[in-house]
Amino acid sequence: MATNLIDSLNARHGLDGALSFHEKAPGIAVAHVRAGGAEAEISLYGAQLLSLKVGGAPDLLYLSSRSLFAPGKAIRGGVPVCWPWFGPRSDRPDLPVHGFVRTAQWDFESAQTLPEGMRISLATSSTPETKALWPHDFRLRLEITIGRRARLDLVMSNPGAEAYSATCAFHPYFRVGDVSGVSVLGMEGTVFADRLPGGGEATQGGAVRIDSLTDRLYACPGVKRILDPRLGREIVTAQEGFPSTVVWNPWEEKARAMPDMGEGEYRSMICVEPARVGGDACLLEPGQSLRLGFGFWSE
Ligand code: BG6
């Protein structure tokens, strides 16, 4: 990456002590934000929040010690954005899982100082390359609000002449002390689809506990509480416009087969992901926009 990109980001948007830009790896520019009692790192590649620390507490997010930071590869950890499809695309299994914006270079649009922290806006839009994968005109803006409560707003719009349909999710990797001791509250009594091969539907009894490979889609839009006795904290999540929630942990064997996951680190993470999939896909007519929101914080 030309250092003059970093220099021009710092010259245009840098704010002494509050916002600065660095090159994390070749081709990967990150913004460091200090605002509202929090400290964050945001990758412009993928528009991915990588780290959020509040006070002296451990990071709210997990980032793999072996994550790749290379154009064309997804970053393992933080909060990836899955769009315009979630998971593998059934009609085109050859295309990247979770869409292509998590591996796109996003533009830094603006930084706004707010009473509660700072809002960073990043944007990306259709190009001939994206149209080869998904033949639609689109524009996406991600607003990331950094403060004691983090908030992500994904605003998608359709500047084209034809309607499009997109599925999507935020894919947060929350850092936990030991996933086997974690309970996730908020999904009791809701129906879930087991996304593992051969999985069917079932109803969640009590709290969600993880003791094996877990990949489930819950019909549950409400607030979730991730109780973590090892770190002595509770992470709360809230979602707007996402009717479902995916819970994922690769567990030991699958994690070992993932070259970008640090040894044993599956125990330090849990993904609780606001999702809009299947029959809930976002349908945008020409000229329409849609905003989806996600917040999380520690209590
Ligand atoms: C989850 C999916 O959201 O992401 C899983 O439910 C998937 O099926 C996981 O394995 C990780 O995906 P990736 O492409 O980031 O390794």
Side-chain angles (χ1 to χ4, degrees), residues 212-287:
S212 58
L213 170 61
T214 303
D215 192 354
R216 297 176 180 173
L217 176 70
Y218 287 86
C220 182
V223 167
K224 319 284 174 325
R225 293 179 171 272
I226 303 168
L227 274 51
D228 180 352
R230 177 67 70 89
L231 292 185
R233 71 179 177 191
E234 204 175 305
I235 297 176
V236 185
T237 73
Q239 57 204 61
E240 293 156 30
F242 292 102
S244 305
T245 303
V246 172
V247 178
W248 179 69
N249 181 287
W251 208 251
E252 193 172 1
E253 198 183 330
K254 188 172 164 91
R256 208 178 296 122
M258 292 161 60
D260 60 349
M261 188 106 189
E263 176 79 35
E265 290 180 10
Y266 71 94
R267 286 200 168 269
S268 310
M269 48 107 357
I270 184 169
C271 294
V272 178
E273 313 164 28
R276 189 148 170 169
V277 298
D280 295 317
C282 309
L283 181 64
L284 271 82
E285 297 293 337

Side-chain angles (χ1 to χ4, degrees), residues 76 86 97-98 102 171 173 195 215 246 248 254 273:
R76 177 75 62 197
F86 176 80
V97 171
H98 292 331
R102 66 175 176 163
H171 193 312
Y173 287 74
R195 289 166 46 81
D215 192 354
V246 172
W248 179 69
K254 188 172 164 91
E273 313 164 28

Side-chain angles (χ1 to χ4, degrees), residues 83 100-101 106-110 121-127 130 134 136-142 154-160 164 284 288-290:
W83 195 94
F100 49 76
V101 299
W106 291 54
D107 296 324
F108 191 95
E109 281 205 323
S110 62
S121 294
L122 304 166
T124 191
S125 50
S126 41
T127 61
T130 67
W134 192 68
H136 302 287
D137 290 310
F138 69 88
R139 187 166 162 75
L140 274 189
R141 189 170 74 246
L142 180 67
L154 184 67
V155 184
M156 65 192 84
S157 42
N158 181 354
Y164 69 67
L284 271 82
Q288 275 192 327
S289 295
L290 179 67

